Amino acid sequence: MKRFSSAIAGGVAGTAVMSLLLLLLEVETRSALKVFYVIARFIGTPDDPAVGFALFAVAGTVAWPLLFLALEPYLPRGPDPAARGVVFASILWLPFVITGRGDIGGPLLVFFGAYTLFAHWAYGFTLGAVYGRLFRPA
């Protein structure tokens, strides 16, 4: 049970970090990217940012941490869970950046890709670091 709660705690911390980074992205682009619209568009409800935010929160705090638990022993960059978290987050970033970009183009697309990759890495690092710190296998 401690393993699950440690992963969920990592997910909560990682989601908080990523939320701050995405908020900064919205501020810096003057809301041109509309990140929660991107997430909503990813699941087929493009005009509902509340659904996008809800999915972001649930996935980041519950679904992705549990998937990380299942995959963590098989991810490269071990034995450090934080490094494995970065690899895991890179995998999560790929479908996000491919399907979520919408009609963004040119330099803004490059910025979107790079910044969201960094935000995903911060999420994965935090997820893995908190999980690794709280869960010590016997």
Side-chain angles (χ1 to χ4, degrees):
M1 188 63 173
K2 183 172 178 165
R3 187 168 180 243
F4 290 109
S5 61
S6 297
I8 298 296
V12 169
T15 300
V17 168
M18 191 172 188
S19 295
L20 287 173
L21 290 171
L22 293 178
L23 177 64
L24 286 173
L25 178 64
E26 286 296 306
V27 169
E28 290 300 316
T29 62
R30 296 183 182 156
S31 297
L33 297 179
K34 299 179 181 174
V35 173
F36 296 121
Y37 282 92
V38 169
I39 297 168
R41 184 171 45 246
F42 179 71
I43 61 165
T45 58
D47 296 323
D48 197 348
V51 171
F53 177 76
L55 177 65
F56 171 79
V58 170
T61 59
V62 179
W64 299 145
L66 294 180
L67 184 60
F68 176 73
L69 275 185
L71 297 178
E72 197 248 340
Y74 308 104
L75 293 171
R77 304 303 237 185
D80 181 15
R84 287 181 171 177
V86 171
V87 172
F88 176 73
S90 299
I91 296 166
L92 296 179
W93 172 77
L94 280 171
F96 175 82
V97 77
I98 291 169
T99 62
R101 69 178 185 84
D103 57 357
I104 300 169
L108 191 55
L109 177 60
V110 174
F111 180 71
F112 172 77
Y115 193 91
T116 57
L117 178 60
F118 174 74
H120 277 77
W121 284 347
Y123 169 81
F125 181 86
T126 306
L127 166 66
V130 171
Y131 165 74
R133 176 73 172 103
L134 296 178
F135 177 69
R136 305 258 187 227

